[in-house]
Amino acid sequence: MTTYDKRQEVPEQEKWDLTDLYTSETDWQEDVDDVLAMASDLQSYDGNINDGASLFSFLKTQEELSYKLQHVFAYTMFLSDIDTRDSHAQQLKAKASQTAVKVSEATAFFMPFLLSLDETTLKQYLQEEEQLTYFEDKLWKSFRYKPYVLSKEKEELLSTLGESLSAPADTYNMLNNADIPFGNVTDEDGNAVQLTRGMYAKRIEDEDRDVREEAYRAYYKPYVVLNNTIATNLAAEVKTNATIAKLRGHDSALSQSLFDDNISTEVYDNLLSAAKDNIQPLHDYTAIRKEKLGVDELRQYDLNVPLVPDMKVNISYDDAYDTMLEALVPLGEEYTKVLREFRDKRYIDVRETAGKKSGAYNMGVYGVHPFVLLNHHDDLKSQFTLVHEMGHAMHSYFSNKHQPQITANYRIFVAEVASTVNEVLLIQHLLKETEDPKMRKYLLNHFIEQFKGTFFTQVMFADFEKQTHERAATEEPLDANSLNELYESLFRTYHGPTLVFDEEVKYGWSRIPHFYRAFYVYQYATGFVSAIDIATRILDGDEQTLNNYLQFLRSGSEDFPLELLKKTGVDLTTPEPIENAMKMFRETVEAFKRTEY
């Protein structure tokens, strides 16, 4: 059974056991009280850290607080997500958020204090207190920011402007999620109804081209009408990023964004250039799409419809899980043994029920275990979602098991590696096992579309971000016309000459919320190609790569992301990993073209 009317109908084995976190709300409240008491204690250190002992005492208390706060927040998030209509759960979540704000306020003084120290003083503190060795690496990594810290007065000024500086992102979020009025489409009874995002996602994949076109034009209508407003808003965001980077002494907004992960702009530029150098297979696929759809002119609203009719295959959750375990055998006995236990120990909330949060995610809770939320349907799409989220969960499990709390959380830059390695292993396993040519073609099409969305589309977005910030830095115009022209030019570059452009294409940039989180999306692409490179070598039987990859899963954030990946054999300062991924993409496109049913 795929869906249930009530959560009570779902088998216990397919629901989270939240007693692993707290056995009662009373226990949860005790931790809330402890966190608030520790926050008050931490605030008393403001102005009173003057030697190694007091520095260690502050950091140790802060880590203990962080441990409890994560549990406090996770518990309420999980309660709320299993039924978003539960008002009591929402109240607990709000209380957890308020607690987190108080903690943030209590500890806000510390980073400015740390960066006000000179290097000699910090070294002295480390020599005075032997137990500070545990925090030493974190302290020095934080200390890297010192050259980019402004005077006390300027930092205070920027802090007071924080809400104003976030206004473009906040404005776009409200506009895009609350106020956007989509156009009308025709329902099954011939009536005009206003399009919703959920409707659009289904209609843009409809086999009826008229349905797709109508949905496409209705979806883009508000972005066309509001073009100047959204352009002015994005320009403000981009100019703010460029200005703050300049004020702090960074070479660019890009270098400022990459600084935290210790990544050079060379990696970003290498990604863009390598993608463009290997763009031909994507152009070939676009041409294949036109041929398969049998259209005189391929339009943007033709790019999402599946080229192979959906395979209506019924795959139970247990069968999907067992297939995943078979597909991941190349990762070794320990990996599959632990993964098998996740199902038995109720680490996964499986089924869609009324009020449950949509989508899927993994959250690793240090000191407990990963919690995975699914909305599982017994189909192929859910099977791929399962294997993706369990990749995240296993990364969390191994990092939390082998790392101290301070380095257990892996960074966003490497977050998609483990999930994508799992997906590659699954699809290769399914391709190897299937004897049905239609299923084979469907799987190849699925992988191509994943490649296109996770790599090429994200690189195109990254290219757009880089060029808009460069224009802001040199005070070139960033108005509706210039943004439209830039986006349309990039869309042509990445999609090739087969596509015939509608007027709406150039407005595509205005619907991307990630542009208000500068230089974030490129990490999807780097994580994807890293995973392709690693998975390919594991499937080729490279034992050294397997051992290195398993160590990578255990490493959390004990080193910077590029260094962790280098230990797996992936060096993103060179074009080689991207070219290896492009080779797989090219071969997949060719296999798709050859396969007939």
Side-chain angles (χ1 to χ4, degrees), residues 241-279:
N241 297 337
T243 299
I244 291 178
K246 185 176 181 180
L247 284 173
R248 292 198 177 282
H250 288 278
D251 293 336
S252 64
L254 174 60
S255 61
Q256 176 178 257
S257 179
L258 303 184
F259 182 79
D260 188 53
D261 284 330
N262 199 32
I263 292 170
S264 70
T265 55
E266 170 193 19
V267 171
Y268 199 97
D269 293 337
N270 181 59
L271 175 69
L272 302 188
S273 60
K276 288 177 181 174
D277 290 345
N278 293 275
I279 202 71

Side-chain angles (χ1 to χ4, degrees), residues 1 19 38 90 96 135 190 399:
M1 187 172 181
T19 61
M38 284 190 281
Q90 295 294 344
F135 296 103
S399 286

Side-chain angles (χ1 to χ4, degrees), residues 4-10 76-93 351-358 375:
Y4 296 82
D5 293 329
K6 298 178 181 178
R7 185 168 176 81
Q8 292 89 330
E9 298 172 358
V10 179
T76 63
M77 185 180 93
F78 299 151
L79 279 177
S80 171
D81 287 352
I82 58 181
D83 189 351
T84 58
R85 306 165 304 173
D86 184 342
S87 59
H88 183 63
Q90 295 294 344
Q91 290 168 5
L92 293 181
K93 186 178 179 182
R351 296 297 179 181
E352 181 179 18
T353 50
K356 186 176 178 181
K357 181 181 176 67
S358 62
N375 280 277

Side-chain angles (χ1 to χ4, degrees), residues 331-345:
L331 295 181
E333 185 177 343
E334 181 189 9
Y335 190 100
T336 53
K337 178 178 180 293
V338 171
L339 186 54
R340 184 176 290 106
E341 291 173 353
F342 278 18
R343 174 173 51 178
D344 301 334
K345 294 179 177 179

